[in-house]
Amino acid sequence: MTVERTLSILKPDATRRNLTGKINAKFEEAGLRIVAQKRLHLSEAQAGAFYAVHKERPFYKDLVAFMTSGPVVVQVLEGENAVAKNREIMGATNPANAAPGTIRKEFAESIEANSVHGSDSAENAATEVAFFFSGIEIVG
Ligand code: CMP
């Protein structure tokens, strides 16, 4: 029984289609708590820095352009095994491979406009949470 925190981003395709409430309901129905949340319009430098790990990938430039194309909602989700649980709730990166009932199956438009980001490990979660939030902004 490990209570964890993970970083979640509702991407520009989700804010554009006014889906933030429907997506947040999926997290809450699955037992995750939103312990911090804010809406931002990322700059190119901010999105580039956040996704720096993908810098050499062919999709990096398009990814940064997409993530700066509209507002995002960044949030910290907390709960039992939050990192793995959130990845289950999101579904596979490519919506074509996502399981029924997952956010990406229901809402994602493409592998790029895939509605949500979630940290892929506890270690990355700590780094990603600290990228967007200070301790005083997280209220468990
Ligand atoms: P995310 O979890 O935010 O992490 C990196 C993102 O790159 C990923 O979700 C996708 O939205 C995006 N992406 C675009 N093209 C690809 C691809 N071919 N493979 C993996 N990720 C991709």
Side-chain angles (χ1 to χ4, degrees):
M1 302 263 279
T2 326
V3 174
E4 288 179 338
R5 287 175 174 173
T6 190
L7 191 278
S8 166
I9 306 179
L10 311 186
K11 296 187 179 186
D13 67 286
T15 59
R16 174 169 49 79
R17 288 176 290 153
N18 211 20
L19 291 172
T20 62
K22 283 191 174 144
I23 293 175
N24 280 348
K26 294 268 195 196
F27 298 139
E28 294 184 343
E29 280 160 13
L32 294 178
R33 307 181 78 84
I34 301 164
V35 296
Q37 177 166 257
K38 58 191 172 190
R39 187 173 173 105
L40 303 171
H41 197 142
L42 297 177
S43 68
E44 208 179 306
Q46 289 167 333
F50 181 78
Y51 280 118
V53 62
H54 295 305
K55 209 169 180 125
E56 305 306 325
R57 310 282 286 271
F59 56 81
Y60 177 74
K61 207 166 164 253
D62 286 347
L63 174 62
V64 170
F66 169 65
M67 291 300 288
T68 57
S69 68
V72 297
V73 175
V74 296
Q75 42 188 205
V76 181
L77 306 179
E78 182 181 87
E80 287 289 316
N81 301 312
V83 173
K85 187 178 272 186
N86 184 36
R87 293 181 73 75
E88 253 180 68
I89 300 165
M90 291 191 299
T93 305
N94 186 344
N97 303 326
T102 61
I103 291 169
R104 285 165 171 162
K105 182 68 177 183
E106 288 190 17
F107 302 121
E109 296 181 316
S110 65
I111 191 168
E112 178 176 271
N114 65 354
S115 303
V116 280
H117 165 82
S119 307
D120 64 2
S121 67
E123 191 188 354
N124 285 340
T127 308
E128 292 183 358
V129 166
F131 185 91
F132 286 112
F133 293 96
S134 65
I136 202 169
E137 295 177 302
I138 304 168
V139 184

